[in-house]
Amino acid sequence: MRRYLTISSLGLFVALRLGAHDTWLQPTVSAVAPGDIINLTLTSANGFKGAEKGPAPERVHRAFLRLAGVIVPLDISPASEKVLGFSAKPGLPGVGVCAVELKPRDLELPPHLIQHYFDEIHAGEALRRQWLEVPEPRRWRERYIKVAKTFVRVGDPSVPAKDWSEPNGLTLEILPERDPTTLQVGDLLPVRVLRNGTPLAEFTLGFVAEGETHHHVVTTDADGRAAAPVDRSGLWLVHGTDLWRSQQKGCEWESVFTTLVVEVAARKR
């Protein structure tokens, strides 16, 4: 029997925020030497402004490091309330792709808060109309998955590395189309979105700097491509949510939340 989260009136707003939270993966340092340990943290929060809630270890479906064409599991560190930790010890130079995909989870939300949810995930008009066309009494039970990726430069940055450009078989994946470890303020960050390996058109992405609330919001083209400027230094979050009507028993909606974290350096003079 599946279990669903039913929300009391006191906790409606909080639960909605948790459902719409982005979950992201970030390294403690963006560059290490071969043989050094990579440490990463996974957290969820309302806005890209610091750790709020870490998932339980048992929610992890897969967690891996891809480097020099080799994929190895990430080790899970002891969890805290705010973050779930991961680590790996790369032995070769290159750009390490670190990714975590969480198991599906179920959530029930009250209909009168759905429009706010749509605003948070930058939902398009077609999806909003689809919800309004659902006959009364309307019910929102959603099954969601969360996917998070980031990168670590291992060793000499002059060593050619293309792991960052390769798909990894994730349910919903954001692929950078330039080396994400060489970004500087003022650069354009081009990306491509794949759903189960296929380019996803007309998908909305938000680009936001850590601690900021303003998002660059863009939509992918027919080839799943989009781009936005990264106009300040520090960490940036690229995020999007794929939401659709479900044909599965026990839920009306399904979604995948996907995030990508990159670090942007000050422009060299």
Side-chain angles (χ1 to χ4, degrees), residues 70-91:
V70 178
I71 296 177
V72 297
L74 290 173
D75 294 323
I76 299 179
S77 304
S80 72
E81 181 179 352
K82 291 189 174 183
V83 300
L84 179 59
F86 297 88
S87 64
K89 191 174 182 180

Side-chain angles (χ1 to χ4, degrees), residues 151-189:
F151 307 92
V152 177
R153 165 62 72 170
V154 182
D156 186 348
S158 67
V159 174
K162 287 290 186 178
D163 288 276
W164 52 266
S165 67
E166 298 295 329
N168 295 282
L170 297 166
T171 304
L172 184 63
E173 183 168 9
I174 304 171
L175 286 175
E177 296 206 298
R178 59 164 295 174
D179 187 339
T181 66
T182 63
L183 290 167
Q184 297 182 36
V185 172
D187 284 345
L188 195 68
L189 174 55

Side-chain angles (χ1 to χ4, degrees), residues 4-77:
Y4 295 92
L5 177 60
T6 303
I7 308 165
S8 69
S9 58
L10 181 63
L12 290 178
F13 183 74
V14 173
L16 177 59
R17 304 295 287 190
L18 287 174
H21 273 180
D22 281 311
T23 298
W24 67 86
L25 183 69
Q26 68 182 67
T28 54
V29 293
S30 59
V32 300
D36 287 351
I37 295 176
I38 294 174
N39 290 297
L40 309 109
T41 57
L42 184 73
T43 191
S44 297
N46 174 28
F48 190 42
K49 59 184 181 182
E52 286 185 6
K53 181 70 174 178
E58 56 268 24
R59 287 193 58 203
V60 176
H61 171 61
R62 59 186 298 214
F64 63 86
L65 165 70
R66 177 177 181 160
L67 182 64
V70 178
I71 296 177
V72 297
L74 290 173
D75 294 323
I76 299 179
S77 304

